[in-house]
């Protein structure tokens, strides 16, 4: 950690929330002790870093009615950090999945120790969030006090532990095991990175004066290394508290953007009420959280662009991902427990995502282009869709075709009144409009990182392959005789009047073959590159989508990007 040069004497601890940090806690010493007691007034400027997670990266709770239906002791709908609550989901039926992930009976599971919304009077909000901890130590000028994740001193009224402060910042709203590294790294590196003439060892060895080429910056967005003096100037006299803001990923990203924008405005006001100069925030996103962030800054959605200093997008499906089509039709890949929990069969995933506005907004948009859904025979592509740039009408809302996104009988197994094929078509139209609205919406100071790895392929194109020895002249009207919901179909040609019995033949969905991160294909992520609006883009290799923020290249390029963004801050006074 950073070394520090302390003046002679006792540095008194300051409570930054008490009278604008002007009150310190002193102590009595023996008469012969002539060392002074020194009160340090902490810096008054604050730039919060707001982390926005991806789909299934926010914890959800269900309402009391749904909790009673499931007979649960608590109201957990989705909390992957709680294995005892999550593991039983692998055995849920499609009906149970639809009920558990009903957008109208779920909400973000927030930390609220006062009203204790856990669905169980014996479980406190701290019990619910017991996995959320902050075990790191600040070094350097972090010792001066400020809005840091440190235990309150004994004797402080309503004293809080650092874990509780992290939970109040929303760290318990998100999939903590997946995101704890990036949350902690940002909190530590910016708030305790430099102290007088000394620098944090990680920054000194892994970020300062390091060429961004080491983190695979794309040559079309050339970046220079960030030097020590530039880093020192960027964070001088300012705090960078890291907050996480989850959202109900089952609902539309438009709505999530509006809600988070409102929360950010309230957060800025709260820091100002505490005596800080807080004017802007930085958004840091993962996957679908990037779409939410674009809604946050959109002038007709969250309308928060003027309060956002910059945005860092991580592994964002900028124009959707054909992986979403594959999983709705064929389930999540693999036979492991994780795949079973998420939905190993097409009917499992359809019962959730066909009723989820947010989930449907991950499908390829119109900007994804033509020909990404293909039928091949004997090594030759014999059919490809869309043909006219409209995946919504040509694929998603098409009924009764072998290649259709939706099997009507999979949509509403629970028999809910607000679920049907027609209702899903309404959601799809909203998804179309959302992507049109945000198509050109990027912050002027944006950075991105994403996977461009041939060894971690994703579905840019979804390819169905049929038996090579079958003579077919009408590929559109093939009938599905059997579907194992895992990517294997038994197809047959329609029976013509007076014709011979139809011959059945096999079709199977091929594995992912396109560069990416096993979820988002580089083609979709590259839409950010094609936009020409980014300060820097890192096309990287060596990590998987959900675990991206545990990768060393991602961590270093993110910290670098944060320094570049906060270094551009122009304070009003």
């Amino acid at each position: 950690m950073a070394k520090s040069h302390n003046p002679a004497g006792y540095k008194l601890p300051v409570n930054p929330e008490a009278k604008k940090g002007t009150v310190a806690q002193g102590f009595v010493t023996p008469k012969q002790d002539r060392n002074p007691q020194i009160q340090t007034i902490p810096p008054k400027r604050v730039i919060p870093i707001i982390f926005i997670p991806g789909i299934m990266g926010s914890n959800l709770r269900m309402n009391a009615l749904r909790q009673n239906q499931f007979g649960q002791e608590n109201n957990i709908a989705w909390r992957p950090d709680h294995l005892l609550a999550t593991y039983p989901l692998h055995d849920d039926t499609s009906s149970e999945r639809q009920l558990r992930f009903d957008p109208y009976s779920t909400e973000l599971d927030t930390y609220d120790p006062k009203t204790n919304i856990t669905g169980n009077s014996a479980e406190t909000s701290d019990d619910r969030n017991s996995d959320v901890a902050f075990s790191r130590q600040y070094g350097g000028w972090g010792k001066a006090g400020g809005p840091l994740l440190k235990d309150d001193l004994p004797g402080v009224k309503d004293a809080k532990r650092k874990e509780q402060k992290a939970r109040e910042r929303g760290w318990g709203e998100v999939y903590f095991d997946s995101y704890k590294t990036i949350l902690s790294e940002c909190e530590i590196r910016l708030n305790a990175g430099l102290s007088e003439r000394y620098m944090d060892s990680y920054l000194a060895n892994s970020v300062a004066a390091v060429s961004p080429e080491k983190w695979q910056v794309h040559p079309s967005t050339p970046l220079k290394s960030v030097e020590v003096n530039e880093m020192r100037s960027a964070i001088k006299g300012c705090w960078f508290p890291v907050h996480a803001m989850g959202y109900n990923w089952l609902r539309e990203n438009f709505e999530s953007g509006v809600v988070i924008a409102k929360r950010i405005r309230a957060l800025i006001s709260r820091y100002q009420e505490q005596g800080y100069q807080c004017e802007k925030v930085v958004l840091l996103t993962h996957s679908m959280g990037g779409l939410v962030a674009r809604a946050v800054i959109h002038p007709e959605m969250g309308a928060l662009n003027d309060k956002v200093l910059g945005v860092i997008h991580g592994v964002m499906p900028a124009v959707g991902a054909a992986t979403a089509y594959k999983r709705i039709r064929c389930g999540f890949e693999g036979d492991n427990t994780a795949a079973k929990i998420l939905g190993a069969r097409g009917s499992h995933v359809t019962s959730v995502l066909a009723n989820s506005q947010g989930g449907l907004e991950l499908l390829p948009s119109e900007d994804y282009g033509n020909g990404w859904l293909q039928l091949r025979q004997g090594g030759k592509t014999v059919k490809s869709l869309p043909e006219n740039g409209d995946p919504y009408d040509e694929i998603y809302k098409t009924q009764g075709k072998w290649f259709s996104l939706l099997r009507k009988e999979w949509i509403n197994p629970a028999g809910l009144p607000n679920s049907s094929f027609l209702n899903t078509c309404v959601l799809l139209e909203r998804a179309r409009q959302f992507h049109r609205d945000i198509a050109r919406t990027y912050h002027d100071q944006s950075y991105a990182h994403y996977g461009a790895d041939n060894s971690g392929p994703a579905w840019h194109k979804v390819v169905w392959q049929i038996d090579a020895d079958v003579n077919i002249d009408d590929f559109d009207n093939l009938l599905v005789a059997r579907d194992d919901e895992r990517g294997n179909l038994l197809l047959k040609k329609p029976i013509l009047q007076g014709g011979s019995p139809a011959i059945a033949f096999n079709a199977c969905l091929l594995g992912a073959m396109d560069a990416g991160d096993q979820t988002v294909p580089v083609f979709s992520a590259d839409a950010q590159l094609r936009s020409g609006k980014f300060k820097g883009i890192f096309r990287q290799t060596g990590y998987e989508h959900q675990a991206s923020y545990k990768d060393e290249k991602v961590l270093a390029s993110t910290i670098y990007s944060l320094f570049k963004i906060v270094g551009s801050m122009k304070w009003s006074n």
Side-chain angles (χ1 to χ4, degrees), residues 206-207 210-217 538 540 553 556-557 560:
S206 301
V207 180
V210 175
S211 170
E213 292 179 1
K214 181 177 180 179
W215 314 310
Q216 298 176 287
V217 68
F538 298 87
Q540 299 169 324
K553 292 188 298 297
S557 60
Y560 166 90

Side-chain angles (χ1 to χ4, degrees), residues 404-452:
S404 300
L405 171 71
L406 301 168
R407 294 283 297 271
K408 292 178 67 174
E409 64 272 24
W410 294 354
I411 295 175
N412 191 18
L416 294 180
N418 54 359
S419 174
S420 66
F421 177 79
L422 291 178
N423 182 72
T424 300
C425 288
V426 172
L427 300 182
L428 285 165
E429 278 303 313
R430 291 178 183 169
R432 182 207 299 264
Q433 190 59 50
F434 174 74
H435 273 283
R436 285 178 175 176
D437 289 341
I438 68 164
R440 307 294 175 259
T441 302
Y442 293 106
H443 194 275
D444 289 341
Q445 191 156 226
S446 290
Y447 291 79
H449 57 263
Y450 49 85

Side-chain angles (χ1 to χ4, degrees), residues 7 20 51-52 128 213 229 231 233 270 274 331 338 360 389 395 448 461 464 505:
K20 302 183 180 181
F51 181 77
I52 306 177
R128 171 69 59 86
E213 292 179 1
N229 289 339
M231 297 171 74
S233 176
R270 187 159 70 248
Q274 292 173 0
L360 294 172
I395 301 172
K461 296 180 179 178
W464 293 93
F505 53 94

Side-chain angles (χ1 to χ4, degrees), residues 130-148:
S130 60
D131 293 318
V132 179
F134 180 69
S135 59
R136 307 291 291 277
Q137 295 294 324
Y138 296 97
W141 64 292
K143 295 177 181 177
L148 302 177

Side-chain angles (χ1 to χ4, degrees), residues 343-491:
R345 308 177 70 86
S347 60
H348 292 164
V349 180
T350 297
S351 66
V352 176
L353 295 190
N355 299 292
S356 164
Q357 179 75 67
L360 294 172
E361 287 170 1
L362 293 178
L363 287 163
S365 69
E366 292 165 313
D367 286 340
Y368 204 85
N370 288 326
W372 57 264
L373 180 60
Q374 300 180 353
L375 180 64
R376 291 184 188 173
Q377 184 182 35
K380 179 182 178 181
T381 300
V382 294
K383 178 73 177 179
S384 63
L385 293 167
E387 297 175 336
N388 303 304
D390 186 356
Y392 300 92
D393 285 338
E394 296 182 62
I395 301 172
Y396 309 153
K397 297 193 294 180
T398 299
Q399 297 186 63
K401 301 291 186 181
W402 65 268
F403 55 80
S404 300
L405 171 71
L406 301 168
R407 294 283 297 271
K408 292 178 67 174
E409 64 272 24
W410 294 354
I411 295 175
N412 191 18
L416 294 180
N418 54 359
S419 174
S420 66
F421 177 79
L422 291 178
N423 182 72
T424 300
C425 288
V426 172
L427 300 182
L428 285 165
E429 278 303 313
R430 291 178 183 169
R432 182 207 299 264
Q433 190 59 50
F434 174 74
H435 273 283
R436 285 178 175 176
D437 289 341
I438 68 164
R440 307 294 175 259
T441 302
Y442 293 106
H443 194 275
D444 289 341
Q445 191 156 226
S446 290
Y447 291 79
H449 57 263
Y450 49 85
D453 197 339
N454 288 313
S455 63
W459 279 274
H460 167 207
K461 296 180 179 178
V462 175
V463 179
W464 293 93
Q465 181 169 277
I466 62 175
D467 293 342
D469 57 353
V470 181
N471 183 24
I472 302 172
D473 53 11
D474 184 0
F475 294 101
D476 278 350
N477 294 309
L478 298 173
L479 303 176
V480 178
R482 186 172 65 245
D483 185 343
D484 75 348
E485 306 182 28
R486 301 294 302 275
N488 296 292
L489 305 176
L490 185 67
L491 300 177

Side-chain angles (χ1 to χ4, degrees), residues 295-312:
V296 167
I297 66 173
H298 192 283
E300 296 179 3
M301 298 182 195
L304 200 72
N305 192 69
D306 64 327
K307 299 296 183 183
V308 174
L309 181 61
V311 182
I312 301 172

